[in-house]
Amino acid sequence: MHGHRVAILGATGMVGREFIKILRQRAFPVSDLVLLASDRSAGKTVTFGAQEIMVQETTHESFEGVDIVLASAGAEISQEFSPIAAAAGAVVVDNSRAFRMEPDVPLVVPEVNIEDARNHHGIIANPNCSTIQMVVALNPIHLVNPIRRVIVDTYQAVSGTGSNAVDELMEQSRTVLADGKAEPKVYPHQIAFNLLPHLEPFQDNGDSREEMKMLHETRKIMHAPDILVSATTVRVPISVGHSEAVHIELTEPMTPEEAREILSKAPGVVVMDDPSNNIYPTPWFAAGRDETFVGRIRKDISHPNGLAMWIVADNIRKGAALNAVQIAEALIQNGWL
Ligand SMILES: NC(=O)c1ccc[n+]([C@@H]2O[C@H](COP(=O)([O-])OP(=O)(O)OC[C@H]3O[C@@H](n4cnc5c(N)ncnc54)[C@H](OP(=O)(O)O)[C@@H]3O)[C@@H](O)[C@H]2O)c1
């Protein structure tokens, strides 16, 4: 059978299950699929087309003969296993934060900087979900009229935290509707019917780690070392779909019409922008879709070179699994494996 031996590390998780779905949906050339998770899941079976594949416990020997690893089991697991997989000859597309800022690890969003993947040394990092959708929409504008400063406020779905968090939102919602008391486990506070301006630990400067990722990863992906990004990242009580209110300061003024024209031709972007007819993207609409949706494009009335917009994408697809599979497809198509 033609194709590549592919391993999914974290195959039973939110992102891992989406990897399996996307490989089938895109007819990815898989000759053999190895599903890896912790010892808790070993022995479970997963359907892949006509096959029933057994999940295996991840060990240092799991990667022998594997061509491509799609890793999404968290940073600590990636720290341990990704270098082992790369040393065994595989190329790892890693969804965790473990290697993103390493100078010799490409950090790739295919619509923006796929050429960077050419120079990999066995590990390619998939960026943070909130950064991916933002750069897909901002880079085409930046190429025409360089962006100096970005202010972004995010509205991020609980699926970004994993399947435990989705379960917690559902359970707490039922409990609150039944007049009960919701006990937080995954987050520091109740998430049902609430908002938490807290994603990942707070840093010494008062920003959260998620907020700092949006600065550093944007600079690396867009090759824009001087771009300024100030983010406020917020967890919202919805299951799938991240939304972002983005304000940009450009080098020169740009009309909303010009921005719409640029974005309507941009790869991976769909403009949905007719507010008077209630047309703008929502996370409910974006869930399960592949594109990054942009609407509410207008002048930022606080700055002569400013534009404001609303950017929405499925955080588990474009924000994680789809972006990684697109990278793997480009490796195969360009002979960069
Ligand atoms: N943009 C992005 O790239 C993006 C987006 C979302 C998440 N992520 C990353 O992906 C990671 C997973 O996210 P998720 O939402 O899929 O989380 P999840 O639903 O909690 O799934 C975690 C996965 O990791 C596996 N795992 C846990 N401990 C393991 C171990 N010791 N050895 C091997 N596998 C182990 C789990 O297997 P068991 O079922 O056996 O426990 C499960 O398959 C996150 O931690 C985050 O770093 C990245």
Side-chain angles (χ1 to χ4, degrees):
M1 190 174 168
H2 294 297
H4 299 270
R5 195 167 151 85
V6 177
I8 299 180
L9 173 56
T12 51
M14 221 50 241
V15 179
R17 292 194 302 264
E18 200 70 27
F19 273 138
I20 296 169
K21 211 195 286 180
I22 291 173
L23 290 177
R24 284 281 299 166
Q25 287 170 340
R26 295 174 75 90
F28 191 93
V30 180
S31 62
D32 192 12
L33 185 63
V34 181
L35 300 182
L36 303 170
S38 77
D39 56 353
R40 294 179 291 275
S41 303
K44 284 185 187 166
T45 55
V46 173
T47 305
F48 181 66
Q51 302 173 58
E52 285 289 310
I53 302 177
M54 192 177 286
V55 177
Q56 303 171 35
E57 180 182 355
T58 313
T59 69
H60 288 191
E61 287 70 47
S62 297
F63 306 97
E64 295 302 329
V66 169
D67 302 310
I68 299 167
V69 179
L70 301 170
S72 190
E76 291 73 25
I77 310 298
S78 282
Q79 288 279 8
E80 179 177 355
F81 290 107
S82 292
I84 292 169
V91 179
V92 182
V93 185
D94 184 41
N95 270 261
S96 80
R97 68 185 147 79
F99 305 101
R100 287 181 188 149
M101 297 315 296
E102 297 286 325
D104 63 343
V105 173
L107 181 67
V108 176
V109 176
E111 291 84 349
V112 178
N113 64 333
I114 192 60
E115 277 294 317
D116 290 358
R118 178 197 289 272
N119 302 317
H120 73 80
H121 303 286
I123 301 176
I124 297 171
N126 205 53
N128 176 46
C129 40
S130 48
T131 307
I132 291 177
Q133 67 183 69
M134 187 172 83
V135 299
V136 166
L138 294 192
N139 193 60
I141 294 172
H142 179 74
L143 292 175
V144 175
N145 184 343
I147 297 171
R148 290 185 169 156
R149 180 173 183 226
V150 181
I151 296 177
V152 51
D153 303 309
T154 72
Y155 305 74
Q156 296 185 226
V158 296
S159 52
T161 315
S163 26
N164 291 348
V166 178
D167 295 345
E168 176 148 314
L169 172 63
M170 299 304 161
E171 275 170 36
Q172 286 186 355
S173 300
R174 279 190 287 268
T175 307
V176 172
L177 286 170
D179 271 345
K181 183 169 164 32
E183 289 298 334
K185 294 188 205 96
V186 175
Y187 298 115
H189 303 281
Q190 175 186 316
I191 183 67
F193 302 95
N194 205 1
L195 301 174
L196 308 181
H198 180 180
L199 277 87
E200 305 216 347
F202 291 108
Q203 313 293 286
D204 290 344
N205 68 352
D207 275 321
S208 69
R209 186 165 65 201
E210 183 89 353
E211 288 158 355
M212 293 308 292
K213 282 178 191 170
M214 293 193 79
L215 166 66
H216 296 305
E217 295 185 19
T218 298
R219 287 180 165 179
K220 181 167 175 176
I221 300 160
M222 286 176 47
H223 301 174
D226 299 324
I227 199 166
L228 301 169
V229 179
S230 175
T232 301
T233 57
V234 181
R235 190 70 71 191
V236 299
I238 58 173
S239 54
V240 179
H242 287 356
S243 307
E244 299 178 339
V246 179
H247 291 73
I248 58 176
E249 181 191 326
L250 297 142
T251 306
E252 304 288 339
M254 179 182 277
T255 64
E257 293 71 28
E258 198 184 339
R260 255 179 237 119
E261 175 71 16
I262 293 167
L263 289 174
S264 65
K265 296 183 190 131
V269 176
V270 172
V271 176
M272 290 179 73
D273 198 15
D274 185 4
S276 58
N277 287 308
N278 302 329
I279 293 174
Y280 39 75
T282 65
W284 187 265
F285 174 84
R289 297 178 196 263
D290 288 347
E291 298 88 350
T292 296
F293 300 91
V294 187
R296 303 286 323 279
I297 301 168
R298 61 205 192 275
K299 285 299 285 181
D300 175 345
I301 56 172
S302 72
H303 195 283
N305 295 357
L307 277 179
M309 66 191 75
W310 175 247
I311 303 173
V312 185
D314 182 323
N315 55 300
I316 299 297
R317 287 182 77 86
K318 187 55 190 166
L322 173 66
N323 195 74
V325 172
Q326 287 176 304
I327 293 171
E329 288 171 346
L331 294 176
I332 294 170
Q333 281 156 15
N334 293 298
W336 297 341
L337 268 181

